Structures are given as structure tokens and as C-alpha cells.
Amino acid sequence: TTGFVLVEPAGVQFQLDRAPWQSATGKPISLPSGEHKIYTLGGTFDITVEAGQTASLKLKSSKAEQDAQAGVSAFERKDFTAALRLLQSAVKACPLKKKQAQPCAALQADMLSKIGRIYENDGQLIEAATEYEKALALPTKARAAGHGDATAGIDRLSKKLARVVVPRIDRKGNCREVSEWLDPPGPHKISIGGQEQVLRVRPGQQEKLGSCP
């Protein structure tokens, strides 16, 4: 026997039992009658579905979702000062914890790509590229729309900036080769193995400076 559950408001992220995360659509969902769990960015809820009946669950948007929605609205009306503050707050309020990694990664990707666009429009190209790269570094299955926007942003900035790959020691003492963006033409001072190099670059240039042992 089956019943229905109606999750509101539309747009809120939730996970029904162990199914993939989804956005509420405002339409009833068919479920086997019995006990079910609904996980959201704001908490966990138990709900009982009776045969032939529709159980309603009205959720409150999490702080991350509220800030994200307000940030996107500010972005669309070109209030970029408010948008930047709200988008950054949304990213901070949705950490990639185990149970929420999928929806938070998707939310972060969308927010970071918009943050990158704000910086890009303001001429802060290095900062923009950094935000786009953060979006692209998120888990593959959860990149969502922000992945495409960030990829397009990197493509644009790759023609205006230069990129160098240099060896760096991380906090654990391990050597890693990392890429750094540079604003042409320079000069730029780059430290490699304790020695400083002065480098001039041109738009679109990519160069590897040193390597890990």
C-alpha cells in the first residue's frame, strides 16, 4: 500500500530515507505506507505515511539556503556588495559534512561561481580565478550548475592571466606542485626552493617553475 508526502516550500533541499538529495517541487511524492525519515540541511524529521493519504511536511530553509537565495537575488539585481556578503555567508554555513556533502557541494559550487563573477566584473581577476577553482575542486557528482559557470570563467581568465606551476611545501611537510595565477605583465617575485625569481609574463602564458623531488 502507498501514500504520499508533500514537502514544502518548493526549492528546499532534502533527502528522503536514503534516496539521493533533491529539491522540493511542491508536488506530492508517492511512498510506501509506514515510517520514513527526511533529512534536510537544517535537521532530521520523522514522518508517518498512511495508505491513500497525503502527509505534509513544511520545512524551514536553513541559514545556508536563506543566505544563498538572498545572495542570488542581490546578484540578479546587481547589488554586488550585498550579494558578495550573502554568498560568502552561504558557503560558510554549508560545510561539507558527511551527511550533507552532496547538497552543500552543489550549493557551494553555485555560490562560488557567482562570487567569482562578482570579482571578475570588478576587475579582480586573480581573486575571481581563485573562486572559480574552488568551485571546480568540489566533489564531481555535486558540482551542479556552478561547475559549468566556473569552467567558463576559467576559460575567460586563462586568456587574460598567466599561470605558473611551482613546488610548495604543505602543512604536513609534503611537497606539492601547485598552480598560481599572475596578472601580466609583472614583474612578479616567485620564491622557489628558498630562492627568489623575478618573472614577467604575458596573457595566456603557462609555465612550470621547478618540481617536487
Side-chain angles (χ1 to χ4, degrees):
T1 57
T2 62
F4 300 89
V5 62
L6 176 62
V7 179
E8 297 178 301
V12 171
Q13 292 288 308
F14 72 97
Q15 182 185 36
L16 182 55
D17 294 326
R18 291 302 175 184
W21 283 77
Q22 57 186 301
S23 295
T25 62
K27 298 180 180 179
I29 301 171
S30 177
L31 287 175
S33 57
E35 301 294 323
H36 296 273
K37 283 188 177 294
I38 292 181
Y39 304 88
T40 74
L41 296 179
T44 302
F45 302 88
D46 295 308
I47 191 167
T48 301
V49 175
E50 298 181 2
Q53 302 296 313
T54 298
S56 295
L57 181 61
K58 292 188 176 182
L59 302 173
K60 181 180 179 181
S61 298
S62 65
K63 174 174 172 51
E65 291 171 306
Q66 291 174 15
D67 287 347
Q69 184 177 11
V72 170
S73 295
F75 181 88
E76 291 176 345
R77 65 175 183 268
K78 302 187 184 302
D79 183 357
F80 297 127
T81 299
L84 184 60
R85 173 178 55 81
L86 289 162
L87 296 173
Q88 290 173 332
S89 178
V91 171
K92 185 177 180 180
C94 204
L96 301 182
K97 295 180 180 179
K98 186 175 181 180
K99 291 183 178 180
Q100 300 178 351
Q102 178 185 333
C104 281
L107 181 146
Q108 284 194 24
D110 291 342
M111 301 303 101
L112 290 168
S113 66
K114 286 181 171 60
I115 292 171
R117 195 57 188 260
I118 292 172
Y119 283 137
E120 184 180 354
N121 291 344
D122 194 44
Q124 301 181 63
L125 304 188
I126 302 292
E127 291 80 358
T130 300
E131 297 302 315
Y132 290 142
E133 285 189 328
K134 288 180 184 177
L136 294 176
L138 291 165
T140 303
K141 293 182 179 180
R143 285 175 177 168
H147 177 223
D149 294 339
T151 299
I154 289 294
D155 288 343
R156 289 192 302 273
L157 295 182
S158 294
K159 299 177 178 65
K160 299 177 180 179
L161 300 174
R163 178 187 259 174
V164 296
V165 178
V166 295
R168 291 284 183 255
I169 304 299
D170 62 21
R171 295 180 180 178
K172 296 182 179 180
N174 300 317
C175 183
R176 297 188 306 113
E177 294 183 3
V178 300
S179 65
E180 296 183 4
W181 294 93
L182 300 176
D183 200 1
H188 296 278
K189 293 182 179 180
I190 305 292
S191 178
I192 302 174
Q195 296 185 342
E196 195 172 80
Q197 295 186 21
V198 178
L199 186 68
R200 288 186 177 276
V201 293
R202 64 182 182 277
Q205 179 179 347
Q206 297 188 32
E207 188 167 341
K208 185 175 182 179
L209 304 175
S211 60
C212 289

